[in-house]
Amino acid sequence: MSQTVQTRRRIGTVVGAVVADLAVVIAFVAIGRASHDEGVWVGLWATSFPFLVGLTAGWLFARAWRGPLSPLRAGVPIWGATVVIGVLVRAAFGAGTEVSFIAVTAVVLLVGLLGWRAIAAPVMRSRAA
C-alpha cells in the first residue's frame, strides 16, 4: 500500500473518530434536553458547549489522533475530560451540576465514547487483515 493511501486512511480514521465523538456528545445532550421537556434544538448549542470544550481538551490531552480507535489510549482520557471539564464549565456558568446529573453524564458518555471504539477497533483491524 502506498504512503499516500495510508495517510488518507489515517486521516479518514481520525476524522471519523472526531465525528463519532461529536455525535455521542450531541446525542447525549439532545436526549437529555428532550427527556426534560426542554426545546432540543433551541438550547442544543448552549447545553453542548461545556461538553464540547471537554471533548476537545480530551482529544488534545490524549493526543488521540495517534490512536483514535483505542478505547484505553484515546477513549478513557477523552471521556474523563469530557465529563470533568464539561461539568466544571457548566458550574462556572451556573448550570445544574447535581450529583445525579454528574452520575448519568459519566455513565452515558462512558458507554458512548468507549462503546463505539470497542466496536470499531476490532472491525477496522479485521478489515486491514
Side-chain angles (χ1 to χ4, degrees):
M1 183 179 330
S2 75
Q3 186 70 19
T4 303
V5 171
Q6 286 178 333
T7 301
R8 284 186 184 154
R9 278 191 180 172
R10 181 122 180 95
I11 291 169
T13 299
V14 171
V15 170
V18 169
V19 170
D21 283 347
L22 288 170
V24 167
V25 170
I26 298 299
F28 159 69
V29 170
I31 291 167
R33 291 188 60 79
S35 72
H36 292 286
D37 295 324
E38 297 174 347
V40 172
W41 299 111
V42 174
L44 189 66
W45 167 249
T47 307
S48 298
F49 178 76
F51 299 103
L52 296 175
V53 170
L55 181 70
T56 302
W59 264 83
L60 294 172
F61 172 76
R63 298 182 201 180
W65 55 89
R66 292 181 175 180
L69 302 183
S70 171
L72 294 177
R73 187 172 190 279
V76 170
I78 289 170
W79 164 72
T82 302
V83 172
V84 172
I85 294 171
V87 169
L88 290 174
V89 171
R90 278 180 63 87
F93 285 97
T97 55
E98 294 80 16
V99 172
S100 60
F101 170 79
I102 295 169
V104 169
T105 298
V107 170
V108 170
L109 291 177
L110 175 73
V111 170
L113 294 171
L114 273 69
W116 78 257
R117 285 178 169 86
I119 295 166
V123 168
M124 295 298 286
R125 278 193 299 271
S126 71
R127 286 186 179 177

Coordinates of all heavy atoms in Angstrom, one line a residue, residues 38-113:
E38 N -37.4 20.1 27.4 CA -36.8 21.3 27.0 C -36.7 21.3 25.5 O -36.6 20.2 24.9 CB -35.5 21.5 27.6 CG -35.5 21.6 29.1 CD -34.1 21.6 29.8 OE1 -33.1 21.3 29.1 OE2 -34.0 21.9 31.0
G39 N -36.7 22.5 24.9 CA -36.6 22.5 23.4 C -35.2 21.9 23.0 O -34.2 22.5 23.4
V40 N -35.2 20.9 22.3 CA -34.0 20.2 21.9 C -33.1 21.1 21.1 O -31.9 21.3 21.3 CB -34.3 18.9 21.1 CG1 -33.0 18.3 20.6 CG2 -35.0 17.9 22.0
W41 N -33.7 21.7 20.0 CA -32.9 22.5 19.1 C -32.5 23.9 19.6 O -31.4 24.4 19.4 CB -33.6 22.6 17.7 CG -33.8 21.3 17.1 CD1 -34.9 20.6 16.9 CD2 -32.7 20.4 16.7 NE1 -34.7 19.4 16.4 CE2 -33.4 19.2 16.2 CE3 -31.4 20.4 16.6 CZ2 -32.7 18.1 15.7 CZ3 -30.7 19.3 16.1 CH2 -31.3 18.2 15.7
V42 N -33.4 24.5 20.4 CA -33.2 25.8 20.9 C -32.0 25.9 21.8 O -31.2 26.8 21.6 CB -34.5 26.3 21.6 CG1 -34.3 27.7 22.3 CG2 -35.7 26.4 20.7
G43 N -31.8 25.1 22.7 CA -30.7 25.2 23.6 C -29.6 24.2 23.4 O -28.8 24.0 24.3
L44 N -29.6 23.5 22.2 CA -28.6 22.5 22.0 C -27.2 23.0 22.1 O -26.4 22.4 22.7 CB -28.9 21.8 20.6 CG -28.1 20.6 20.3 CD1 -28.5 19.4 21.3 CD2 -28.3 20.1 18.9
W45 N -26.9 24.1 21.4 CA -25.6 24.6 21.4 C -25.1 25.0 22.8 O -24.0 24.6 23.3 CB -25.4 25.8 20.5 CG -24.1 26.5 20.7 CD1 -24.0 27.8 21.2 CD2 -22.8 26.0 20.4 NE1 -22.6 28.1 21.3 CE2 -21.9 27.1 20.8 CE3 -22.3 24.9 19.9 CZ2 -20.5 26.9 20.7 CZ3 -20.9 24.7 19.8 CH2 -20.1 25.7 20.2
A46 N -26.0 25.7 23.6 CA -25.6 26.2 24.9 C -25.4 25.0 25.8 O -24.4 25.1 26.7 CB -26.7 27.1 25.4
T47 N -26.2 24.0 25.7 CA -26.0 22.9 26.6 C -24.8 22.0 26.2 O -24.1 21.4 27.0 CB -27.3 22.0 26.6 OG1 -28.4 22.9 26.9 CG2 -27.2 20.9 27.7
S48 N -24.6 21.9 24.9 CA -23.5 21.1 24.4 C -22.1 21.7 24.6 O -21.1 21.0 24.8 CB -23.6 20.9 22.9 OG -24.8 20.2 22.6
F49 N -22.0 23.1 24.6 CA -20.8 23.8 24.7 C -19.8 23.3 25.7 O -18.7 23.0 25.4 CB -21.0 25.3 24.8 CG -19.7 26.1 24.9 CD1 -19.0 26.3 23.7 CD2 -19.3 26.6 26.1 CE1 -17.8 27.0 23.8 CE2 -18.1 27.3 26.2 CZ -17.4 27.5 25.0
P50 N -20.2 23.2 27.0 CA -19.3 22.7 28.0 C -18.7 21.3 27.7 O -17.5 21.1 28.0 CB -20.1 22.7 29.3 CG -21.3 23.6 29.1 CD -21.5 23.5 27.6
F51 N -19.5 20.5 27.2 CA -19.0 19.1 26.9 C -18.1 19.1 25.7 O -17.2 18.3 25.6 CB -20.2 18.1 26.8 CG -21.0 18.1 28.1 CD1 -22.2 18.7 28.3 CD2 -20.4 17.4 29.2 CE1 -22.8 18.7 29.5 CE2 -21.1 17.4 30.4 CZ -22.3 18.0 30.6
L52 N -18.4 20.0 24.8 CA -17.6 20.1 23.6 C -16.2 20.6 23.9 O -15.2 20.2 23.4 CB -18.3 20.9 22.5 CG -19.5 20.3 21.9 CD1 -20.2 21.2 21.0 CD2 -19.3 18.9 21.3
V53 N -16.2 21.5 24.9 CA -14.9 22.0 25.4 C -14.1 20.9 26.0 O -12.9 20.7 25.8 CB -15.1 23.2 26.4 CG1 -13.8 23.6 27.1 CG2 -15.7 24.4 25.7
G54 N -14.8 20.1 26.9 CA -14.1 19.0 27.5 C -13.7 17.9 26.5 O -12.6 17.4 26.6
L55 N -14.5 17.7 25.5 CA -14.2 16.7 24.4 C -12.9 17.2 23.7 O -12.0 16.4 23.5 CB -15.3 16.6 23.4 CG -15.1 15.6 22.3 CD1 -15.1 14.2 22.8 CD2 -16.2 15.8 21.2
T56 N -12.8 18.4 23.3 CA -11.6 19.0 22.7 C -10.4 18.9 23.5 O -9.3 18.4 23.1 CB -11.9 20.5 22.3 OG1 -13.0 20.5 21.5 CG2 -10.7 21.1 21.6
A57 N -10.5 19.2 24.8 CA -9.4 19.1 25.7 C -9.0 17.6 25.9 O -7.8 17.3 25.9 CB -9.8 19.6 27.1
G58 N -9.9 16.7 25.9 CA -9.6 15.3 26.0 C -8.8 14.8 24.8 O -7.8 14.1 24.9
W59 N -9.2 15.3 23.6 CA -8.5 14.9 22.3 C -7.1 15.4 22.4 O -6.1 14.7 22.0 CB -9.2 15.4 21.1 CG -10.1 14.4 20.5 CD1 -11.4 14.1 20.9 CD2 -9.8 13.6 19.4 NE1 -11.9 13.1 20.1 CE2 -11.0 12.8 19.2 CE3 -8.7 13.4 18.6 CZ2 -11.0 11.8 18.2 CZ3 -8.8 12.5 17.6 CH2 -9.9 11.7 17.4
L60 N -6.9 16.7 22.8 CA -5.6 17.3 22.9 C -4.7 16.6 24.0 O -3.6 16.3 23.7 CB -5.7 18.8 23.1 CG -6.3 19.6 22.0 CD1 -6.6 21.0 22.5 CD2 -5.5 19.5 20.7
F61 N -5.3 16.4 25.1 CA -4.5 15.8 26.2 C -4.1 14.4 25.9 O -2.9 14.0 26.1 CB -5.4 15.7 27.5 CG -4.8 14.9 28.6 CD1 -3.8 15.5 29.4 CD2 -5.3 13.6 28.9 CE1 -3.2 14.7 30.4 CE2 -4.7 12.9 29.9 CZ -3.7 13.5 30.7
A62 N -5.0 13.6 25.3 CA -4.7 12.2 24.9 C -3.9 12.1 23.6 O -3.4 11.0 23.3 CB -6.0 11.4 24.8
R63 N -3.8 13.2 22.9 CA -3.2 13.1 21.5 C -3.9 12.0 20.8 O -3.2 11.1 20.1 CB -1.7 12.9 21.6 CG -0.9 14.0 22.3 CD 0.5 13.8 22.2 NE 1.2 14.5 23.3 CZ 2.5 14.5 23.5 NH1 3.3 13.8 22.7 NH2 3.0 15.2 24.4
A64 N -5.2 12.0 20.8 CA -6.0 10.9 20.3 C -5.8 10.7 18.8 O -6.1 9.6 18.4 CB -7.5 11.2 20.6
W65 N -5.3 11.6 18.1 CA -5.1 11.4 16.7 C -4.1 10.3 16.4 O -4.0 9.7 15.3 CB -4.7 12.7 16.0 CG -3.5 13.4 16.6 CD1 -2.2 13.1 16.3 CD2 -3.5 14.3 17.7 NE1 -1.4 13.9 17.1 CE2 -2.2 14.6 17.9 CE3 -4.5 14.9 18.4 CZ2 -1.8 15.5 18.9 CZ3 -4.1 15.8 19.4 CH2 -2.8 16.1 19.6
R66 N -3.3 10.0 17.4 CA -2.3 8.9 17.3 C -2.9 7.5 17.3 O -2.3 6.6 16.8 CB -1.2 9.0 18.4 CG -0.4 10.3 18.2 CD 0.7 10.3 19.3 NE 1.6 11.4 19.1 CZ 2.6 11.7 19.9 NH1 2.8 10.9 21.0 NH2 3.3 12.7 19.7
G67 N -4.0 7.4 18.0 CA -4.7 6.1 18.1 C -6.2 6.3 18.4 O -6.6 5.9 19.5
P68 N -6.9 6.9 17.5 CA -8.2 7.4 17.8 C -9.3 6.3 18.1 O -10.3 6.6 18.7 CB -8.7 8.2 16.6 CG -7.8 7.6 15.5 CD -6.5 7.2 16.1
L69 N -9.0 5.1 17.7 CA -9.9 4.0 17.9 C -9.6 3.2 19.2 O -10.4 2.4 19.6 CB -9.9 3.0 16.7 CG -10.2 3.6 15.4 CD1 -10.2 2.5 14.3 CD2 -11.5 4.3 15.4
S70 N -8.6 3.5 19.9 CA -8.2 2.8 21.1 C -9.1 3.2 22.3 O -9.1 4.4 22.7 CB -6.7 3.1 21.5 OG -6.5 2.5 22.8
P71 N -9.9 2.3 22.8 CA -10.7 2.6 24.0 C -9.9 3.1 25.2 O -10.3 4.0 25.9 CB -11.4 1.3 24.3 CG -11.4 0.5 23.0 CD -10.1 0.9 22.4
L72 N -8.7 2.5 25.4 CA -7.9 2.9 26.6 C -7.1 4.1 26.3 O -7.1 5.1 27.1 CB -7.1 1.7 27.1 CG -7.8 0.5 27.6 CD1 -6.9 -0.6 28.0 CD2 -8.7 0.9 28.8
R73 N -6.3 4.1 25.3 CA -5.4 5.2 25.0 C -6.1 6.5 24.6 O -5.7 7.6 25.0 CB -4.5 4.8 23.8 CG -3.4 5.8 23.6 CD -2.4 5.3 22.6 NE -1.2 6.1 22.5 CZ -1.2 7.2 21.8 NH1 -2.2 7.6 21.1 NH2 0.0 8.0 21.8
A74 N -7.2 6.4 23.9 CA -7.9 7.6 23.5 C -9.3 7.8 24.2 O -9.6 8.8 24.8 CB -8.2 7.6 22.0
G75 N -10.0 6.7 24.3 CA -11.4 6.8 24.8 C -11.4 7.2 26.3 O -12.2 8.1 26.7
V76 N -10.6 6.6 27.1 CA -10.7 6.9 28.6 C -10.3 8.4 28.9 O -11.1 9.1 29.6 CB -9.8 5.9 29.4 CG1 -9.7 6.4 30.9 CG2 -10.4 4.5 29.4
P77 N -9.2 8.9 28.4 CA -8.9 10.3 28.6 C -9.9 11.2 28.0 O -10.3 12.3 28.6 CB -7.5 10.5 28.1 CG -7.1 9.3 27.4 CD -8.1 8.2 27.7
I78 N -10.4 10.9 26.8 CA -11.4 11.8 26.2 C -12.7 11.8 27.1 O -13.3 12.8 27.3 CB -11.7 11.3 24.8 CG1 -10.5 11.6 23.8 CG2 -13.0 11.9 24.2 CD1 -10.6 11.0 22.5
W79 N -13.1 10.6 27.5 CA -14.3 10.5 28.4 C -14.1 11.3 29.7 O -14.9 12.1 30.0 CB -14.6 9.0 28.7 CG -15.5 8.8 29.8 CD1 -16.9 9.1 29.8 CD2 -15.2 8.4 31.1 NE1 -17.4 8.8 31.1 CE2 -16.4 8.4 31.9 CE3 -14.0 8.0 31.7 CZ2 -16.4 8.0 33.2 CZ3 -14.0 7.6 33.1 CH2 -15.2 7.6 33.8
G80 N -13.0 11.1 30.3 CA -12.7 11.8 31.6 C -12.7 13.3 31.4 O -13.4 14.0 32.2
A81 N -12.0 13.8 30.4 CA -12.0 15.2 30.2 C -13.4 15.8 29.8 O -13.8 16.9 30.3 CB -11.0 15.6 29.1
T82 N -14.1 15.0 29.0 CA -15.4 15.5 28.6 C -16.3 15.6 29.8 O -17.0 16.6 30.0 CB -16.1 14.5 27.6 OG1 -15.2 14.4 26.4 CG2 -17.4 15.0 27.1
V83 N -16.3 14.7 30.7 CA -17.2 14.7 31.9 C -16.7 15.8 32.9 O -17.4 16.7 33.2 CB -17.2 13.4 32.6 CG1 -18.0 13.5 33.9 CG2 -17.9 12.3 31.7
V84 N -15.4 15.7 33.3 CA -14.9 16.7 34.3 C -15.0 18.1 33.8 O -15.5 19.0 34.5 CB -13.5 16.3 34.7 CG1 -12.9 17.3 35.6 CG2 -13.5 14.9 35.4
I85 N -14.4 18.4 32.7 CA -14.4 19.7 32.2 C -15.8 20.2 31.8 O -16.2 21.4 32.1 CB -13.4 19.9 31.0 CG1 -12.0 19.6 31.5 CG2 -13.5 21.2 30.3 CD1 -10.9 19.5 30.4
G86 N -16.6 19.3 31.2 CA -18.0 19.7 30.9 C -18.7 20.1 32.2 O -19.4 21.1 32.2
V87 N -18.6 19.4 33.2 CA -19.3 19.7 34.5 C -18.7 21.0 35.1 O -19.5 21.8 35.6 CB -19.2 18.5 35.5 CG1 -19.7 18.9 36.9 CG2 -20.1 17.3 35.0
L88 N -17.4 21.1 35.1 CA -16.8 22.4 35.6 C -17.2 23.6 34.8 O -17.5 24.7 35.4 CB -15.3 22.2 35.6 CG -14.7 21.2 36.7 CD1 -13.2 21.1 36.5 CD2 -15.1 21.7 38.1
V89 N -17.3 23.5 33.5 CA -17.7 24.7 32.7 C -19.2 24.9 33.0 O -19.6 26.1 33.1 CB -17.4 24.4 31.2 CG1 -18.0 25.5 30.3 CG2 -15.9 24.4 30.9
R90 N -20.0 23.9 33.1 CA -21.4 24.1 33.4 C -21.5 24.9 34.7 O -22.3 25.8 34.9 CB -22.2 22.8 33.5 CG -22.6 22.2 32.2 CD -23.3 20.9 32.4 NE -24.6 21.0 33.2 CZ -25.8 21.3 32.7 NH1 -25.9 21.5 31.4 NH2 -26.8 21.3 33.4
A91 N -20.8 24.4 35.7 CA -20.8 25.0 37.0 C -20.4 26.5 37.0 O -21.0 27.4 37.6 CB -20.0 24.3 38.0
A92 N -19.4 26.8 36.2 CA -18.9 28.1 36.0 C -19.9 29.1 35.4 O -20.0 30.3 35.7 CB -17.6 28.2 35.2
F93 N -20.8 28.5 34.6 CA -21.9 29.3 34.0 C -23.2 29.2 34.8 O -24.3 29.6 34.3 CB -22.1 28.9 32.6 CG -21.0 29.5 31.7 CD1 -19.9 28.7 31.3 CD2 -21.0 30.8 31.2 CE1 -18.9 29.2 30.5 CE2 -20.0 31.3 30.4 CZ -19.0 30.5 30.1
G94 N -23.2 28.5 35.9 CA -24.4 28.5 36.8 C -25.4 27.4 36.4 O -26.5 27.5 36.8
A95 N -25.0 26.5 35.5 CA -25.9 25.4 35.1 C -25.9 24.3 36.2 O -25.0 24.2 37.0 CB -25.5 24.9 33.7
G96 N -26.9 23.4 36.1 CA -27.0 22.4 37.1 C -25.9 21.4 37.1 O -25.4 21.0 36.0
T97 N -25.4 21.0 38.3 CA -24.4 20.0 38.4 C -24.7 19.1 39.6 O -23.8 18.7 40.4 CB -23.0 20.7 38.6 OG1 -23.1 21.6 39.8 CG2 -22.5 21.4 37.4
E98 N -26.0 18.7 39.7 CA -26.4 17.8 40.8 C -25.6 16.5 40.6 O -25.2 16.1 39.6 CB -27.9 17.6 40.7 CG -28.7 18.8 41.1 CD -28.9 19.7 39.9 OE1 -28.6 19.3 38.7 OE2 -29.3 20.9 40.1
V99 N -25.5 15.8 41.8 CA -24.8 14.5 41.8 C -25.4 13.5 40.8 O -24.7 12.8 40.0 CB -24.7 13.9 43.2 CG1 -24.1 12.5 43.2 CG2 -23.9 14.8 44.1
S100 N -26.7 13.5 40.8 CA -27.4 12.6 39.8 C -27.1 12.9 38.4 O -26.9 12.0 37.5 CB -28.9 12.6 40.1 OG -29.5 13.9 39.9
F101 N -27.0 14.2 38.1 CA -26.7 14.6 36.7 C -25.3 14.2 36.3 O -25.0 13.7 35.3 CB -26.8 16.2 36.6 CG -26.3 16.7 35.3 CD1 -27.0 16.6 34.1 CD2 -25.0 17.3 35.2 CE1 -26.5 17.0 32.9 CE2 -24.5 17.7 34.0 CZ -25.2 17.6 32.9
I102 N -24.4 14.4 37.3 CA -23.0 14.0 37.0 C -22.9 12.5 36.8 O -22.2 12.0 35.9 CB -22.1 14.5 38.2 CG1 -22.0 16.0 38.2 CG2 -20.6 14.0 38.0 CD1 -21.4 16.6 39.4
A103 N -23.6 11.7 37.6 CA -23.5 10.3 37.5 C -24.1 9.8 36.2 O -23.5 9.0 35.5 CB -24.3 9.6 38.6
V104 N -25.2 10.4 35.8 CA -25.8 10.0 34.5 C -24.9 10.4 33.3 O -24.7 9.7 32.4 CB -27.2 10.6 34.3 CG1 -27.7 10.5 32.9 CG2 -28.2 10.0 35.3
T105 N -24.3 11.6 33.4 CA -23.4 12.1 32.4 C -22.2 11.2 32.3 O -21.8 10.8 31.2 CB -22.9 13.5 32.8 OG1 -24.1 14.4 32.8 CG2 -21.9 14.0 31.8
A106 N -21.6 10.8 33.4 CA -20.5 9.9 33.4 C -20.8 8.6 32.8 O -20.0 8.1 31.9 CB -19.9 9.8 34.8
V107 N -21.9 8.0 33.1 CA -22.2 6.7 32.6 C -22.6 6.7 31.1 O -22.1 5.9 30.3 CB -23.4 6.0 33.4 CG1 -23.9 4.8 32.8 CG2 -22.9 5.7 34.8
V108 N -23.4 7.6 30.7 CA -23.8 7.7 29.3 C -22.6 8.0 28.4 O -22.5 7.4 27.4 CB -25.0 8.8 29.2 CG1 -25.2 9.0 27.7 CG2 -26.2 8.3 29.9
L109 N -21.8 9.0 28.8 CA -20.7 9.3 28.0 C -19.6 8.2 28.0 O -18.9 7.9 27.0 CB -20.0 10.6 28.4 CG -20.9 11.8 28.1 CD1 -20.3 13.1 28.6 CD2 -21.2 11.9 26.6
L110 N -19.5 7.5 29.1 CA -18.6 6.3 29.1 C -19.0 5.3 28.1 O -18.2 4.8 27.3 CB -18.6 5.7 30.5 CG -17.8 4.4 30.7 CD1 -16.3 4.7 30.6 CD2 -18.1 3.7 31.9
V111 N -20.3 4.9 28.1 CA -20.8 3.9 27.2 C -20.7 4.4 25.8 O -20.3 3.7 24.9 CB -22.3 3.6 27.5 CG1 -23.0 2.8 26.4 CG2 -22.4 2.9 28.9
G112 N -21.0 5.7 25.5 CA -20.9 6.2 24.2 C -19.5 6.4 23.6 O -19.2 5.9 22.6
L113 N -18.7 7.0 24.4 CA -17.3 7.3 23.9 C -16.4 6.1 23.9 O -15.5 6.0 23.0 CB -16.7 8.5 24.7 CG -17.4 9.8 24.6 CD1 -16.8 10.8 25.6 CD2 -17.3 10.4 23.2

